[in-house]
Amino acid sequence: MTARTLGEVPPGCRQRLVAHYGPKVLEWLDAVPDVLGQLAERWKLSLGGYHDAGHASVIATATALDGRPQLLKAWPDRTRYRHEIRALRLWAGGLTVDVIETDDDHAVALLEMVGGRPGGSDWRQRETQMVAGALHGLHTLGRTRRRTGSLPPLREYLRLEVLPRIEKRALSLDLGPWRPLVDDEFRAIVMVEEDPRRSTVLHADLYRENVPFDSTGHPRLIDPVPMVGDAAFDWAFWTVYYDLGRETSQRLATAARISRIPVPVIAPWCRLLSLDGLLYYVDTDDPRAPQMFEVLSFLSARGAGSDV
């Protein structure tokens, strides 16, 4: 099989990766089409084209000898590649995307194409309940298989990244009428504490686009940023970010029911993530800032989040 070359990475993908990694990624972006071509030849793939999505990798479509659609994914960050592949292999068994081949030298993996096309199938019946069930299954595997030694701890991510950037932005940004709520929530951060009894391997990036459905109507979680820590973090991330501003209350109630972690335990994590998101959106002039403010208002001690 002859694998055609793909040409340059699309401008949108280049812009997103430069924004994420900085100008140092430009040399890697220039080299990656040749790398993908070489691996397509080795793995006997016919290349399709780029799938212009994501902020931390380059993705291309491909077809195997037997006609199965697949994805080639290349990471500029080798550590992120190692962590993602380790987590996907730990979770293997139908809840996540399957890893078919890997090349550690180039930080490239050949992955199953969930639902036969980028983004998965359109079959999303009982979406909230199905995704909650898949996330619960992921956490169960993360606790029972216990091969987590090289994955970073949630506590370090919070201590070294999340809390410092919240403090910096909360003190420096012009928040206008949002200032009182931000100040209240900034003081409430001390309410968030991890429980080691809930420790597991976390997905930690539960946006809706990272949960495609397969052709049988089952969710398959992809693109994790895996860490080891309290499962409440994942449930909170899913509650806030899965579909920002829509059905937040329903997801919070479902998270508590499926995980058996009470709402008053999950809600402070939701508020922490919402505060971090709001400050980021304000700092970057993101149009989603008003939506996040409404979510944070709902989840705050003055809103409905504490008594769903």
Side-chain angles (χ1 to χ4, degrees):
M1 176 180 292
T2 301
R4 70 177 181 85
T5 58
L6 289 170
E8 292 186 352
V9 174
C13 181
R14 293 178 70 91
Q15 291 170 7
R16 292 192 300 275
L17 266 67
V18 170
H20 188 86
Y21 293 110
K24 63 183 179 182
V25 79
L26 288 171
E27 184 177 353
W28 180 88
L29 284 166
D30 291 338
V32 78
D34 288 339
V35 170
L36 294 179
Q38 294 166 18
L39 292 176
E41 185 173 356
R42 181 198 304 173
W43 293 333
K44 297 180 172 53
L45 306 170
S46 176
L47 290 173
Y50 289 107
H51 176 47
D52 191 4
H55 295 78
S57 61
V58 170
I59 300 172
T61 61
T63 305
L65 278 173
D66 62 4
R68 286 179 300 162
Q70 296 172 342
L71 292 174
L72 277 168
K73 184 172 181 178
W75 291 257
D77 184 340
R78 292 174 181 269
T79 299
R80 184 161 181 158
Y81 157 78
R82 288 194 300 270
H83 290 166
E84 183 167 336
I85 296 302
R86 178 177 290 272
L88 291 175
R89 285 175 167 161
L90 180 143
W91 290 323
L95 296 173
T96 59
V97 62
D98 289 338
V99 179
I100 300 167
E101 300 277 4
T102 57
D103 185 292
D104 294 343
D105 292 336
H106 295 101
V108 177
L110 180 63
L111 305 172
E112 166 195 20
M113 189 184 293
V114 176
R117 66 181 189 184
S121 74
D122 291 329
W123 192 354
R124 286 179 173 261
Q125 294 183 349
R126 300 178 63 246
E127 181 171 355
T128 298
Q129 292 77 13
M130 294 289 284
V131 176
L135 180 56
H136 182 64
L138 231 62
H139 289 163
T140 300
L141 291 177
R143 280 190 291 269
T144 58
R145 294 184 176 175
R146 281 302 193 198
R147 298 191 299 273
T148 62
S150 69
L151 295 177
L154 172 63
R155 64 178 178 276
E156 294 300 303
Y157 171 65
L158 295 174
R159 183 176 69 87
L160 298 176
E161 295 188 41
V162 176
L163 296 178
R165 72 192 182 207
I166 286 177
E167 181 175 13
K168 179 181 177 181
R169 288 170 173 154
L171 296 176
S172 64
L173 291 176
D174 179 5
L175 297 165
W178 297 346
R179 168 61 64 185
L181 180 61
V182 168
D183 287 346
D184 286 349
E185 293 305 308
F186 184 60
R187 287 190 291 268
I189 286 176
V190 294
M191 298 169 55
V192 177
E193 294 184 4
E194 285 195 73
D195 186 336
R197 294 171 297 179
R198 295 192 296 262
S199 183
T200 187
V201 179
L202 306 172
H203 183 285
D205 210 30
L206 286 160
Y207 296 97
R208 195 169 189 257
E209 57 264 32
N210 288 343
V211 190
F213 277 57
D214 63 23
S215 57
T216 64
H218 290 89
R220 305 283 291 279
L221 281 67
I222 65 172
D223 294 348
V225 184
M227 294 177 277
V228 177
D230 194 325
F233 177 90
D234 259 358
W235 290 109
F237 196 109
W238 178 67
T239 296
V240 172
Y241 280 104
Y242 185 78
D243 193 359
L244 181 63
R246 293 175 54 85
E247 300 184 350
T248 307
S249 176
Q250 179 182 344
R251 281 195 300 280
L252 180 56
T254 301
R257 178 172 57 83
I258 299 297
S259 70
R260 298 186 179 179
I261 304 172
V263 165
V265 175
I266 300 174
W269 289 92
C270 293
R271 291 161 60 188
L272 171 67
L273 291 168
S274 299
L275 176 62
D276 184 36
L278 174 62
L279 292 171
Y280 171 74
Y281 290 159
V282 171
D283 196 19
T284 58
D285 295 321
D286 192 297
R288 292 172 291 183
Q291 284 181 285
M292 187 61 85
F293 176 78
E294 292 301 323
V295 171
L296 181 58
S297 298
F298 163 72
L299 292 166
S300 73
R302 296 176 298 177
S306 60
D307 57 2
V308 170

